[in-house]
Amino acid sequence: EKDLFKVKFKLHPSCYLMASNYPVFSIWKSSDAKKKLEKEWILIERAKWQTNVSGLLEVEFLFLTQIKKKQNLYQIYQNLNKKYLDFDIGSLMNKYISNGVIASYEL
């Protein structure tokens, strides 16, 4: 239990994270992107043999980016808790492990 926060997770090799100052995901998803002209965060992945492109919340993007940068669970929690006081790291872990985006871990 004491080593739990030292765990480092790894994204599936097919995952690509993208931040855009333009609404590229909204434009790609629908032709009505005029109402949303703000920064977007995108996950492109093929973890379960099917290509998925998903819009992310900023906290999700930062969470996955820190995993990609090989931050341990404790470091991720400390970094995100500074800006997002009510974020739930357990829910994010559960979501991205169950959909195959988080593929493995190491101590």
Side-chain angles (χ1 to χ4, degrees), residues 67-81:
I67 288 176
K68 189 173 182 176
K69 290 180 179 178
K70 301 182 189 241
Q71 298 288 314
N72 67 41
L73 196 54
Y74 181 74
Q75 292 168 320
I76 293 170
Y77 179 79
Q78 290 296 319
N79 291 337
L80 293 180
N81 196 42

Side-chain angles (χ1 to χ4, degrees), residues 34-50:
K34 294 177 184 174
K35 62 183 176 187
K36 185 180 178 185
L37 294 174
E38 56 190 44
K39 189 169 188 165
E40 289 186 329
W41 301 272
I42 303 159
L43 169 66
I44 303 166
E45 54 94 5
R46 197 174 45 110
K48 293 189 175 182
W49 303 102
Q50 182 177 8

Side-chain angles (χ1 to χ4, degrees), residues 17-31:
L17 295 165
M18 184 173 105
S20 173
N21 289 325
Y22 304 99
V24 294
F25 179 70
S26 297
I27 291 169
W28 176 76
K29 188 175 176 185
S30 71
S31 60

